[in-house]
Amino acid sequence: MGKFEIETDDLVYIPSDDTFLLAENLEIKEGQSVLEIGTGSGLVSMYASLLTEDITATDINFNALELAEKNFKLNNINSIKLEFGDMFEPVKDKKFDVILFNTPYLPTDSDDIIDDDLNYAFDGGLNGRKVIDRFINEVSNHLNDKGIVQIIQSSLSDNDRTLDMFDRNGFVAEIAESEKFFFEEIVLINAYKI
């Protein structure tokens, strides 16, 4: 896993190409406060910890928090605060300089849904936007002025709509990086709060 030793768990999203697309392109300056939504194994927050010390990581999957805590200990990282809950719920009164989210972007119908907590990691609803739209509509309330949002999504969940929504919510957004796969393109979108 590159710089870090990491354990995995069947109930937690295993770091994949999308994880590394985010982890290797972080735009974080020293001293900035960072929030990672849906930390999973904790790997993106671990990369962030190389750049700043003020990191909060949340997840709606309790197994993910337990695994992330294990991985932080394994790598002697003790600067990351873990919070359990849905999206911004655990940090509702706080604002951050950088917000990171490898979104659950896969379009899913009832046949695709799995009956355990791993489902949170990829279930984007019918058009892949169930969580993305909610996130974009709420993120501004938790971001400091001149802050940045970095999210991962797929061409299957309508990149243009995401850019347009960020635009309408007072951001300048762009596709910063992308990786083509057989049937989709995974993109990293950077959105800067004006």
Side-chain angles (χ1 to χ4, degrees):
M1 293 289 172
K3 302 175 164 84
F4 298 106
E5 206 179 319
I6 198 156
E7 284 184 25
T8 58
D9 178 318
D10 291 345
L11 293 175
V12 180
Y13 186 70
I14 293 172
S16 188
D17 294 310
D18 51 2
T19 314
F20 289 102
L21 190 60
L22 181 55
E24 291 167 1
N25 292 287
L26 295 173
E27 289 208 11
I28 299 169
K29 295 179 185 73
E30 197 178 331
Q32 285 187 315
S33 57
V34 175
L35 170 65
E36 185 192 8
I37 303 259
T39 193
S41 67
L43 189 64
V44 171
S45 282
M46 288 158 66
Y47 272 80
S49 75
L50 301 171
L51 305 168
T52 190
E53 295 213 331
D54 185 358
I55 301 164
T56 303
T58 70
D59 211 298
I60 193 172
N61 175 352
F62 198 75
N63 303 291
L65 294 178
E66 289 182 327
L67 179 64
E69 187 171 23
K70 202 184 287 182
N71 284 326
F72 299 161
K73 282 189 177 129
L74 199 59
N75 292 278
N76 298 315
I77 298 169
N78 47 28
S79 57
I80 303 169
K81 292 183 281 300
L82 286 168
E83 300 280 356
F84 174 66
D86 185 19
M87 207 125 34
F88 297 108
E89 207 175 54
V91 293
K92 52 180 170 287
D93 305 324
K94 293 195 183 128
K95 285 193 168 196
F96 299 86
D97 299 315
V98 182
I99 296 178
L100 311 170
F101 192 14
N102 184 356
T103 66
Y105 52 71
L106 286 181
T108 50
D109 63 34
S110 51
D111 300 346
D112 302 316
I113 291 171
I114 51 176
D115 192 21
D116 64 38
D117 286 345
L118 183 61
N119 194 66
Y120 290 123
F122 66 84
D123 182 359
L126 283 174
N127 59 2
R129 301 200 55 87
K130 177 173 79 174
V131 179
I132 294 171
D133 288 352
R134 218 177 98 212
F135 173 81
I136 295 172
N137 286 327
E138 293 175 22
V139 70
S140 200
N141 304 327
H142 302 279
L143 193 66
N144 290 324
D145 291 341
K146 306 247 186 309
I148 177 178
V149 175
Q150 294 189 279
I151 69 167
I152 297 287
Q153 75 166 64
S154 157
S155 54
L156 300 174
S157 45
D158 195 347
N159 297 334
D160 288 339
R161 179 162 165 191
T162 297
L163 294 171
D164 187 48
M165 279 186 76
F166 269 124
D167 244 23
R168 282 181 288 145
N169 280 284
F171 289 82
V172 173
E174 62 180 16
I175 293 178
E177 297 289 335
S178 64
E179 252 179 74
K180 281 191 174 24
F181 294 96
F182 179 56
F183 58 95
E184 67 178 332
E185 189 174 15
I186 301 291
V187 298
L188 167 64
I189 293 175
N190 288 349
Y192 303 87
K193 190 172 178 181
I194 326 169

